[in-house]
Amino acid sequence: MAIRRQSILPGFGLTLGYTLVYLGVIVLLPLAVLVLRASSLGLAGLWDIATEPRILAALRTSFSLALAAAAINVIFGGIVAWVLARYDFPGRRLLDAAVDLPFALPTAVAGIALAAIYAPNGWIGALIAPLGWKIAYTPLGIVVALVFIGLPFIVRTVQPVILELEQDVEEASATLGAARMQTLVRVILPTLAPALLTGFALAFARGVGEYGSVIFIAGNLPFVSEIAPLLIIVKLEQFDYAGATAIATLMLAASFLILLTINLIQAWSRRRMGHV
């Protein structure tokens, strides 16, 4: 006879009910109200708003730059996580704690600090200005801000997986004659792929809706560096609640589709690792 394992939390029905009610009230209900409010416009109204040149440009800016920043963080955040997990050096704990600063720092403060540093008269901006480069008040400044706020998502997602990754596997790969690059591509990266995809999805989701740290460094020029969340605020200030709701609904739908795709790729990666 199979012995049923008891859960630490008693009462599956009670805990499941609490979970459904909590998620329904906190997450699903506000989103449902948003979609319901936008549905009053009809598909034709949503399409008219979505195809407005300024809104289309803002949506393209938000999503493309959020994807670019998340991709950058996957590479360099993975390196940071590897260094913090595998090497012991003076100041490692301080550096490890500094990774979480974007979580605790108010986004407006981060935006002001980044704008001051990367402005043409800032510490870094003044160094690259003679080369004809400009970071602040351009789309590149938005990418910098999104990289800043998205880095902890990658590091904190990948770091525990690296800590659990046995170094014996790497040594066995080297013993069998594999080069370092072969070990990285065929042994390490497949193991880290689900965590990297999870961190990528989290960083992307945070970047799409980021507002405070972006508006101070973006320049906010329509058709150039204006993000969709700022356009929602503009619509609300103009008492155009229907337009603001429509933009938010479009962002919600696009974000859901992209995150769903990432989750499907992540599930495929885990199944593939399970068969290996």
Side-chain angles (χ1 to χ4, degrees):
M1 294 180 60
I3 300 177
R4 183 178 180 182
R5 186 175 180 180
Q6 296 294 328
S7 173
I8 297 176
L9 294 176
F12 171 76
L14 179 62
T15 52
L16 178 61
Y18 171 80
T19 301
L20 295 177
V21 171
Y22 186 83
L23 291 178
V25 173
I26 300 298
V27 179
L28 298 180
L29 183 60
L31 296 181
V33 171
L34 176 65
V35 174
L36 184 62
R37 183 72 179 270
S39 64
S40 62
L41 298 172
L43 293 178
L46 282 174
W47 178 255
D48 291 338
I49 294 176
T51 53
E52 289 183 15
R54 185 178 178 182
I55 294 177
L56 201 59
L59 291 171
R60 182 169 57 248
T61 298
S62 292
F63 282 94
S64 62
L65 297 185
L67 284 171
I72 293 172
N73 271 328
V74 165
I75 299 173
F76 295 99
I79 295 174
V80 171
W82 183 272
V83 170
L84 293 177
R86 286 299 177 89
Y87 298 104
D88 192 7
F89 54 90
R92 184 178 66 85
R93 293 184 180 275
L94 182 62
L95 186 62
D96 192 17
V99 171
D100 295 326
L101 280 179
F103 281 148
L105 196 65
T107 56
V109 175
I112 294 173
L114 291 173
I117 293 174
Y118 290 100
N121 58 349
W123 290 352
I124 299 179
L127 296 177
I128 64 176
L131 302 176
W133 297 347
K134 187 178 181 181
I135 297 179
Y137 316 125
T138 67
L140 184 57
I142 300 177
V143 174
V144 170
L146 297 183
V147 168
F148 174 80
I149 59 101
L151 178 65
F153 292 98
I154 302 293
V155 176
R156 293 308 179 216
T157 304
V158 178
Q159 189 177 2
V161 181
I162 297 176
L163 290 173
E164 295 179 359
L165 183 63
E166 297 291 341
Q167 298 189 22
D168 296 343
V169 178
E170 303 168 37
E171 295 174 358
S173 176
T175 302
L176 294 174
R180 290 186 177 182
M181 185 58 64
Q182 290 177 317
T183 301
L184 175 64
V185 173
R186 298 185 178 182
V187 177
I188 297 175
L189 285 182
T191 305
L192 299 182
L196 288 171
L197 286 172
T198 300
F200 177 87
L202 293 174
F204 165 76
R206 173 67 188 275
V208 168
E210 181 60 23
Y211 175 77
S213 63
V214 173
I215 58 172
F216 292 100
I217 195 175
N220 307 318
L221 298 176
F223 303 100
V224 178
S225 58
E226 186 178 51
I227 59 175
L230 175 61
L231 203 52
I232 293 176
I233 299 299
V234 172
K235 293 289 185 181
L236 291 175
E237 290 177 348
Q238 297 173 350
F239 300 100
D240 185 5
Y241 300 115
T245 304
I247 298 173
T249 304
L250 293 172
M251 292 185 66
L252 174 63
S255 299
F256 176 78
L257 291 176
I258 294 176
L259 292 176
L260 177 62
T261 303
I262 294 173
N263 287 332
L264 291 176
I265 296 174
Q266 183 182 14
W268 172 81
S269 177
R270 287 177 175 173
R271 287 197 303 268
R272 182 172 176 272
M273 287 298 300
H275 292 302
V276 175

